[in-house]
Amino acid sequence: MHMKHYAAMLLAGISLLAFHGAAPAETAAALTGIVRSAEEGPMGGVTVTASRDKSTISVTAITDDQGRYSFPANRLVPGEYALSIRAVGYDLDGKAAASVAAERTATTDIRLKKTRNLSAQLSSAEWLASWPGTDTEKRLVADCMSCHTLERIARSTHTAEEWVQIIPRMLRYAQNTIPLAPQLRTGESTGLLVQQPERLARLAEYLATVNLSTSDGFPYELKALKRVSGSTGRAIVTTYKLPKATDQPHDVMGDPDGGIYFTYFGDPALGRLDPKTGEVKSYPIPILKETAAKGALSLYHDHDGNFWVSLMYQAGGAKFDKATKTFTMLPVAPEFNRESSQQAFVAPQSAHVDGKLWIQDVASTSVYRVDLKTGKFENLKPFADIKPESPLAGRPHSIYEIFPDAQNNLFIADFSDRAIGRIDAKTGAYSFVQTFTDRSRPRRGEIDKDGRLWFAEYAVDNVAMLDTKTNELKEWNLPTKWSMPYQAKADRNGDIWTGGMASDRITRINSKTGAMTEYQLPVNTNIRNIYVDDQTAPVTLWFGNNHGATIVKLEPLD
């Protein structure tokens, strides 16, 4: 990996410590030790997590090639800590604990033993790698991760006949459902599977081949991912526990006030985490539709620094005034507000240019443009007039994230196919660029100051860049298959960052050389969007564990 570049950054970051306090200091350690097993000796790439009783904050270090882990002195306050590890295929051999005191380094060596229950440790990516079947069959199952891990499917005992009944029922649940907090959709949106019985039957038959319906044990070999190398991918990971087990942090964004704001995917509220204390405040969002599923998805600043959130099944968006801590509601116009309305994204970033705000509708493949002074809604349908000769004709389409550029032209991700669309803000004209990889399912990202759109290609483990000025397109394939990247963003140094919804890994890509580094996360982490703080040295990432009720900070050490 481009080490000279990052060494220079690290040296530059030393001078910034007084202002940011974010660059981990490796010279002074609060706690260190070596992780070993009888099978491997010293083990690299193992996560070691230190948790203090009754604290909502835990800290993770990752072992180097010599098996050594080290917690910087400014990351652990004095106290008693329980230690846990993640190294697929291994468990702790006994308990591990440490007593940390001020101004001295504690040492705790850790021994691991082979696990007797590998299946309990697998990520969703490892289940997909283990399952028989084609990539096409597996991709049909991947969207189930919105609500739960794929382990839930693997451990089920449903037959193909039972799956035919169960799948339509599962499709009735809203996307912001988790097993502890289910929410039903309203309206008719049960998906194409219900309308295509043959396709439904094929999926049901496939699911019955990967679960326990025909035997007491899994009818295939369990395959674990190779551990991340201890020579790269080292980081300090800080995990902040939210108050309730059902809290679902979706979008996460830093703010000049020092807080980390986040949307609750399953509750009508905006949250704020204080990274210094771990304190969490919630600001309730008024309800627009009492009978519809509750929760918010996207979170973006407008030009004035206030937040806008999208309200999913509540059919609208909301502006959060930071000064008054109040919301201004923007319900979808009555003529477009159907029972199945779903607004996953509101895009206010360039609304100051022409006074128009963009808001997306999942159910109708529409994009609405709202005049913020008059409240008038326009309904734009970029896929409505596709010509028969177009490569987009005869294929399913859906609009996922929407990306306004500096002139408030809008770019859209076609999550059902492979296109990036553009809507001209002045003329309303539509144009499309297709990704190189078929059925790539472009997902989330952002447009940088140079007009480059960075985005994830969820279905094919790619991240991509579209130069919106020249239509030049580039793609990078991630090192771990079945990562299922949700979003991609580039920092000011030209590195691309993405998180795998299935792999529990963050990936960094040098956009100039293509060199890649993966960072292992300490627990199952359903990653959605990532906030890249590149005002620090080195760059710091923030993201939510949507199924784990935590917010996570990752500080690379390489």
Side-chain angles (χ1 to χ4, degrees), residues 277-550:
T277 65
E279 180 187 7
V280 176
K281 291 184 179 180
S282 295
Y283 303 96
I285 300 173
I287 301 298
L288 293 177
K289 299 174 77 171
E290 189 61 47
T291 59
K294 315 299 191 296
L297 193 150
S298 68
L299 179 66
Y300 288 107
H301 280 122
D302 63 16
H303 187 64
D304 296 323
N306 295 310
F307 285 109
W308 283 81
V309 300
S310 58
L311 301 180
M312 291 291 284
Y313 302 97
Q314 289 290 298
K319 175 186 175 181
F320 179 70
D321 188 301
K322 285 177 53 186
T324 64
K325 304 295 190 292
T326 59
F327 288 94
T328 301
M329 307 305 290
L330 180 65
V332 170
E335 62 268 31
F336 304 131
N337 191 344
R338 300 173 312 284
E339 193 176 6
S340 60
S341 288
Q342 180 185 339
Q343 277 63 55
F345 300 99
V346 174
Q349 297 95 309
S350 297
H352 61 285
V353 172
D354 54 10
K356 305 288 181 68
L357 177 138
W358 296 98
I359 184 167
Q360 159 256 33
D361 191 335
V362 174
S364 67
T365 63
S366 290
V367 176
Y368 305 131
R369 183 165 56 176
V370 188
D371 188 308
L372 291 176
K373 286 186 178 179
T374 66
K376 181 181 178 181
F377 273 66
E378 299 175 72
N379 185 10
L380 294 92
K381 292 179 160 293
F383 296 110
D385 299 317
I386 295 174
K387 304 254 187 297
E389 63 272 18
S390 168
L392 302 176
R395 298 165 70 96
H397 302 286
S398 63
I399 297 172
Y400 203 68
E401 186 159 27
I402 51 179
F403 317 90
D405 67 11
Q407 291 75 45
N408 213 21
N409 302 303
L410 192 71
F411 291 79
I412 62 175
D414 183 358
F415 192 48
S416 291
D417 197 12
R418 62 187 290 186
I420 296 292
R422 181 183 184 274
I423 303 176
D424 189 283
K426 293 182 178 179
T427 67
Y430 312 135
S431 58
F432 298 92
V433 174
Q434 287 192 303
T435 64
F436 298 134
T437 309
D438 192 28
R439 306 289 185 186
S440 61
R441 301 186 70 188
R443 207 157 190 180
R444 296 190 65 182
E446 67 178 1
I447 295 180
D448 66 19
K449 62 181 178 59
D450 297 317
R452 296 172 298 182
L453 171 57
W454 305 89
F455 60 97
E457 294 180 281
Y458 172 76
V460 293
D461 301 317
N462 285 352
V463 296
M465 184 277 292
L466 174 68
D467 188 320
T468 63
K469 298 174 183 176
T470 65
N471 279 348
E472 177 191 13
L473 181 70
K474 294 182 179 179
E475 291 181 341
W476 294 264
N477 186 241
L478 301 184
T480 297
K481 187 172 183 179
W482 304 117
S483 287
M484 315 300 287
Y486 179 84
Q487 186 179 51
K489 292 183 177 179
D491 64 28
R492 64 180 180 180
N493 308 305
D495 284 346
I496 313 166
W497 297 89
T498 190
M501 279 186 72
S503 64
D504 304 336
R505 293 180 177 184
I506 292 290
T507 305
R508 181 182 74 193
I509 304 170
N510 184 319
S511 63
K512 299 180 178 65
T513 67
M516 302 187 189
T517 302
E518 290 188 302
Y519 301 89
Q520 177 67 58
L521 300 177
V523 297
N524 179 268
T525 309
N526 188 263
I527 303 170
R528 303 299 171 97
N529 95 308
I530 54 176
Y531 166 64
V532 180
D533 182 1
D534 58 5
Q535 301 306 304
T536 60
V539 172
T540 299
L541 265 66
W542 291 87
F543 47 93
N545 182 347
N546 190 247
H547 293 170
T550 59

Side-chain angles (χ1 to χ4, degrees), residues 34-74:
I34 295 177
V35 177
R36 294 184 177 89
S37 68
E39 291 78 11
E40 297 187 34
M43 297 175 61
V46 177
T47 69
V48 179
T49 299
S51 304
R52 193 161 52 95
D53 188 35
K54 297 182 181 179
S55 175
T56 60
I57 304 173
S58 61
V59 185
T60 300
I62 304 172
T63 60
D64 61 20
D65 277 341
Q66 287 72 48
R68 180 168 295 280
Y69 68 90
S70 179
F71 289 90
N74 61 351

Side-chain angles (χ1 to χ4, degrees), residues 127 131 140-145 148-158 163 203 206-208 210-213 218 220:
W127 282 111
W131 285 353
L140 282 173
V141 188
D143 286 352
C144 297
M145 291 186 300
H148 54 73
T149 69
L150 298 187
E151 179 185 8
R152 197 175 185 91
I153 294 173
R155 292 191 182 280
S156 72
T157 58
H158 304 302
W163 278 118
L203 176 57
Y206 176 67
L207 293 178
V210 302
N211 70 356
L212 299 175
S213 60
F218 299 108
Y220 42 82

Side-chain angles (χ1 to χ4, degrees), residues 204-241:
E205 290 168 1
Y206 176 67
L207 293 178
T209 69
V210 302
N211 70 356
L212 299 175
S213 60
T214 59
S215 64
D216 293 333
F218 299 108
Y220 42 82
E221 177 187 1
L222 299 182
K223 299 177 182 178
L225 293 174
K226 183 180 178 182
R227 281 201 314 276
V228 172
S229 170
S231 61
T232 61
R234 296 184 61 226
I236 297 297
V237 180
T238 307
T239 301
Y240 300 83
K241 185 178 180 181

